[in-house]
């Protein structure tokens, strides 16, 4: 079961511009900044292709106001066209519907952990999903406690921006795309240490241990995928002896 955490103490920073102070090529990014980047980048996109498409559709349709039903505040029901989601994903046949059902199940299991002023809120990203027989529709329910946070995402990102993220083949390409958009640049460049990149991307110590693999499967893959976007880049390696300790990203 996946989860994400948002500390209410810096929500305003997290969802406003500018996010961080531009680091010089000599200074490291602060731990606070790394935590903010972790929450912003990783929280939203640690999902399969179908899950991300459903999530974007939810963000697109989320109502600005709650309804009152039986004395309780509820989020208006969201209705999705299942066939449209499947067509956009390039899948066909019964297996596509199976994958779609798997995606909604995972979103129901996807627990959000939100630190609020009066305590810790744990809430599923999706409360329920009902497939309407013979209509090709899915009716989705969202918990009212999650509503203000989804609204903030809607205000922070355009649907066009979110749609671009789901086109990337590599999960890390998505993360780097958003990172490069958020970090201010000095003379069109950003310098980040390998250690910091691993922290921001939450890469475990046993993953991509060799720099060669890290470079090939994360950096160069992202370079290939971001080549057609507004964050296309080249990079230079900064070494300490023979060891690569940082990368300078140069944006075209």
């Amino acid at each position: 079961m996946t989860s994400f955490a948002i500390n209410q103490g810096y929500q305003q920073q997290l969802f406003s511009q500018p996010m961080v102070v531009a680091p010089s090529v000599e200074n490291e990014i602060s731990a606070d900044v790394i935590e903010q980047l972790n929450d912003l980048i990783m929280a939203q996109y640690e999902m399969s292709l179908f899950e991300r498409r459903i999530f974007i559709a939810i963000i697109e349709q989320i109502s600005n106001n709650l309804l009152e039903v039986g004395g309780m505040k509820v989020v208006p029901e969201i209705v999705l066209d299942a066939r449209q989601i499947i067509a956009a994903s390039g899948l066909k046949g019964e297996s596509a519907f199976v994958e779609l059902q798997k995606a909604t199940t995972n979103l129901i299991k996807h627990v959000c952990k939100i630190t609020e002023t009066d305590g810790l809120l744990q809430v599923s990203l999706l409360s329920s999903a009902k497939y309407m027989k013979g209509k090709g529709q899915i009716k989705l329910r969202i918990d009212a406690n999650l509503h203000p946070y989804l609204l903030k995402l809607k205000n922070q990102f355009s649907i066009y921006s979110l749609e671009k993220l789901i086109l990337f083949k590599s999960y890390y390409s998505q993360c780097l795309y958003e990172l490069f958009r958020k970090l201010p640049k000095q003379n069109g460049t950003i310098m980040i240490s390998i250690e910091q990149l691993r922290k921001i991307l939450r890469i475990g110590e046993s993953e991509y241990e060799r720099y060669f693999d890290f470079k090939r499967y994360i950096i160069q893959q992202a370079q290939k995928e971001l080549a057609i976007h507004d964050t296309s880049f080249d990079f230079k390696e900064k070494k300490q002896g023979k060891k690569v300790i940082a990368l300078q990203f140069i944006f075209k």
Side-chain angles (χ1 to χ4, degrees):
M1 186 178 295
T2 53
S3 65
F4 69 79
I6 300 177
N7 188 310
Q8 197 175 46
Y10 55 73
Q11 284 167 12
Q12 188 171 0
Q13 286 178 291
L14 192 62
F15 294 101
S16 61
Q17 294 291 342
M19 271 190 56
V20 295
V21 176
S24 71
V25 293
E26 300 300 328
N27 296 332
E28 289 192 344
I29 304 172
S30 71
D32 287 344
V33 168
I34 289 177
E35 192 59 33
Q36 290 179 29
L37 290 169
N38 278 342
D39 284 328
L40 179 63
I41 298 169
M42 307 300 283
Q44 302 155 41
Y45 309 115
E46 197 171 10
M47 305 173 185
S48 71
L49 177 62
F50 266 130
E51 289 170 56
R52 292 198 301 272
R53 288 195 180 280
I54 294 169
F55 181 70
I56 289 172
I58 289 172
I59 297 297
E60 186 175 21
Q61 293 191 34
I62 194 79
S63 172
N64 290 329
N65 301 305
L66 298 176
L67 297 176
E68 188 166 332
V69 179
M72 293 182 61
K73 296 288 186 180
V74 299
V75 180
E77 189 176 61
I78 294 172
V79 180
L80 302 185
D81 187 332
R83 291 166 296 192
Q84 187 176 11
I85 294 175
I86 289 172
S89 303
L91 296 178
K92 296 180 180 179
E94 190 63 30
S95 62
F97 281 94
V98 172
E99 289 301 314
L100 191 58
Q101 290 174 22
K102 187 188 299 183
T104 51
T105 299
N106 288 340
L107 288 173
I108 292 171
K109 293 179 180 179
H110 194 122
V111 177
C112 310
K113 296 179 181 179
I114 304 172
T115 303
E116 299 184 326
T117 54
D118 59 348
L120 177 67
L121 170 65
Q122 293 179 305
V123 56
S124 294
L125 189 55
L126 183 62
S127 295
S128 67
K130 184 174 182 179
Y131 289 78
M132 305 306 294
K133 188 175 181 180
K135 294 185 177 180
Q137 294 180 335
I138 315 171
K139 291 186 177 182
L140 305 179
R141 288 286 186 185
I142 307 295
D143 193 293
N145 288 307
L146 192 60
H147 183 257
Y149 301 99
L150 295 181
L151 274 186
K152 286 182 179 180
L153 285 180
K154 183 177 183 178
N155 293 333
Q156 171 69 15
F157 296 99
S158 68
I159 297 303
Y160 172 72
S161 175
L162 288 172
E163 282 285 3
K164 286 205 293 187
L165 286 172
I166 66 173
L167 298 178
F168 295 124
K169 295 178 181 178
S170 166
Y171 170 61
Y172 296 113
S173 294
Q174 298 171 37
C175 297
L176 288 172
Y177 171 80
E178 196 56 41
L179 173 66
F180 293 153
R181 290 183 68 247
K182 295 301 175 186
L183 275 180
K185 303 169 183 62
Q186 289 190 332
N187 300 319
T189 70
I190 296 174
M191 177 78 80
I192 311 178
S193 71
I194 300 299
E195 181 181 357
Q196 287 185 309
L197 271 174
R198 293 181 69 90
K199 285 181 181 178
I200 291 171
L201 298 176
R202 291 185 180 172
I203 298 174
E205 292 183 3
S206 61
E207 299 177 275
Y208 304 106
E209 293 180 86
R210 297 191 308 161
Y211 170 71
F212 175 83
D213 294 330
F214 178 84
K215 174 181 175 181
R216 178 182 178 184
Y217 294 110
I218 296 178
I219 305 302
Q220 290 182 328
Q221 177 64 27
Q223 185 180 37
K224 184 188 303 181
E225 293 197 56
L226 269 57
I228 61 173
H229 294 281
D230 55 351
T231 53
S232 61
F233 67 91
D234 290 321
F235 66 95
K236 293 181 180 178
E237 299 170 339
K238 183 178 180 180
K239 295 185 178 182
Q240 190 174 69
K242 293 185 178 180
K243 183 180 180 181
V244 177
I245 61 169
L247 294 177
Q248 182 181 24
F249 295 95
I250 306 156
F251 298 92
K252 300 176 182 179

